[in-house]
Amino acid sequence: MNGPLTAQLTKCECCPRMCRVDRLAGQVGFCKINADIRISHAGLHYGEEPPISGTRGSGTIFFPGCNLRCVFCQNYQISQEFKRFHTQTLTTAELASEMLRLQDTGAHNVNFVSPSHMVFQMADAIDVAKGKGFVLPVVYNTNGYDAVDALRLIRGLVDIYLPDIKYLENGLGKQLSGVDDYADVIPGVLREMLDQVGHLKMDEDGIALRGLLVRHLVLPGYLENSRKCLRLLAELSLDTYVSIMSQYSPLYKAGDYPGINRTLTEEEYDQVMDYAFDLGLENAFIQEMESQKHYLPDFSKEGPFDPEESMTDLPVSGLSASE
Ligand code: SF4
């Protein structure tokens, strides 16, 4: 039996694509996933920002499929090519059990990765898990292309919003992620998230408890886009926590796109960091340039994240500039 929110998938409007297909009847829209709960991987992950991974790891649950088509996706095996890789189909109760299992392993949180097209199945599972003793913060780790109405329906179930802000130029979103209106959608999404959970709050050990942490991946050669994204965050609030990421690698199809077929230079990253601080965005997590070499997940393996490499090559190793 489907949970109350999953039941809404008869006319899917859970992301801004608004495909309106009947996923409960087995139809699929742009994300290529019907109403089944499918996961690609669940396990501890040490490569997120320090407040998310902490010392014991973040309990990640990866969903296959995606509502974007980023040509540089580092998770392309499961976002775009998931039919070639093993996925598990779970019931709502089984997904809730997976959350409880991650809690038992000592995870600081349960971190749903790419949840935009699974938002209602996820929400129903959180509800069930809470009824069975689940108490950890829930992280919603998204590309940012979410439907504000769907986010309103899950209000109270997510503790930490971890969205990307990829573009504030629709042309760039179209060219690199196959989406027409990312720049129109993302401001409302971030406002809704901030309204629901406020700014990031951490415990005395620096572990995130609740709030908004926005990620921005700096793309080589597109620094004006980065400046626009940072200006939007500054307008949202100068207290916004932002993770400015240097780890871009020309993966998946990026080699075919002149301009982004290389890594970022240190000078480019420094320019973006300086701009953030000039704007007054001081709650910024910065990343070592070596993180471009960080371990890339391989979802053809049972453990896609090598624990040793994940521990030694944390993608985000900086601390808040205000500390
Ligand atoms: S979640 Fe999938 S089916 Fe639903 S609107 Fe988005 S892309 Fe379309």
Side-chain angles (χ1 to χ4, degrees):
M1 193 176 128
N2 295 305
L5 284 172
T6 303
Q8 298 207 9
L9 295 178
T10 51
K11 191 180 169 193
C12 188
E13 297 183 346
C14 64
C15 93
R17 297 271 176 197
M18 297 284 164
C19 301
R20 300 191 176 94
V21 293
D22 185 351
R23 292 170 67 187
L24 282 171
Q27 293 177 353
V28 296
F30 188 90
C31 62
K32 300 186 191 164
I33 300 285
N34 63 16
D36 289 345
I37 299 173
R38 293 171 73 171
I39 68 169
S40 296
H41 174 71
L44 292 176
H45 186 33
Y46 298 90
E48 306 282 38
E49 287 80 355
I52 305 295
S53 281
T55 51
R56 302 195 306 267
S58 178
T60 46
I61 296 178
F62 285 80
F63 292 125
C66 189
N67 62 353
L68 295 183
R69 296 280 184 269
C70 303
V71 297
F72 50 85
C73 182
Q74 73 167 26
N75 291 341
Y76 67 93
Q77 289 173 318
I78 58 170
S79 66
Q80 311 301 336
E81 300 181 353
F82 62 89
K83 287 180 184 156
R84 293 177 45 223
F85 294 89
H86 175 70
T87 59
Q88 269 181 288
T89 302
L90 305 180
T91 63
T92 304
E94 286 169 341
L95 181 55
S97 296
E98 203 56 40
M99 296 173 66
L100 290 160
R101 182 185 70 79
L102 289 166
Q103 177 169 278
D104 289 345
T105 63
H108 291 292
N109 47 61
V110 164
N111 179 349
F112 289 101
V113 184
S114 296
S116 308
H117 58 298
M118 286 285 200
V119 55
F120 292 156
Q121 296 97 315
M122 176 203 78
D124 286 336
I126 295 170
D127 228 15
V128 172
K130 282 179 184 268
K132 293 185 174 176
F134 178 79
V135 294
L136 295 182
V138 169
V139 181
Y140 188 89
N141 184 343
T142 171
N143 58 36
Y145 195 57
D146 289 280
V148 170
D149 285 347
L151 295 177
R152 288 188 178 137
L153 286 169
I154 63 165
R155 189 178 185 111
L157 293 176
V158 170
D159 301 284
I160 299 164
Y161 278 111
L162 186 59
D164 294 338
I165 177 167
K166 290 181 181 294
Y167 314 109
L168 268 184
E169 295 177 7
N170 279 331
L172 204 51
K174 177 79 178 163
Q175 184 192 354
L176 300 182
S177 294
V179 57
D180 291 331
D181 57 352
Y182 188 95
D184 302 332
V185 166
I186 192 68
V189 165
L190 296 180
R191 276 195 295 273
E192 176 62 25
M193 290 176 171
L194 185 60
D195 183 62
Q196 286 191 22
V197 297
H199 293 299
L200 193 68
K201 294 201 174 41
M202 293 172 265
D203 67 13
E204 60 278 4
D205 296 321
I207 307 300
L209 300 171
R210 184 175 171 81
L212 173 68
L213 171 55
V214 184
R215 284 175 166 164
H216 176 66
L217 176 67
V218 183
L219 295 173
Y222 290 106
L223 302 195
E224 186 51 28
N225 176 59
S226 289
R227 286 190 276 268
K228 287 178 186 170
C229 291
L230 293 170
R231 281 205 294 276
L232 179 78
L233 297 183
E235 283 162 24
L236 191 67
S237 166
L238 287 178
D239 294 327
T240 304
Y241 279 77
V242 55
S243 171
I244 304 177
M245 307 173 83
S246 64
Q247 71 182 54
Y248 175 82
S249 289
L251 294 168
Y252 190 37
K253 300 178 178 172
D256 299 336
Y257 288 76
I260 60 161
N261 57 1
R262 62 172 175 89
T263 54
L264 193 70
T265 66
E266 197 159 353
E267 192 188 355
E268 286 174 316
Y269 188 59
D270 286 349
Q271 279 185 39
V272 173
M273 291 302 308
D274 288 348
Y275 191 76
F277 294 133
D278 287 348
L279 285 170
L281 284 167
E282 295 195 336
N283 292 326
F285 290 90
I286 61 171
Q287 203 172 30
E288 306 296 337
M289 290 305 289
E290 296 81 63
S291 56
Q292 290 170 338
K293 294 181 291 194
H294 84 275
Y295 181 77
L296 292 166
D298 183 352
F299 290 91
S300 65
K301 296 180 181 166
E302 195 172 324
F305 299 95
D306 182 309
E308 276 184 30
E309 299 223 39
S310 295
M311 287 297 287
T312 53
D313 291 315
L314 291 176
V316 175
S317 52
L319 292 175
S320 164
S322 60
E323 289 175 349

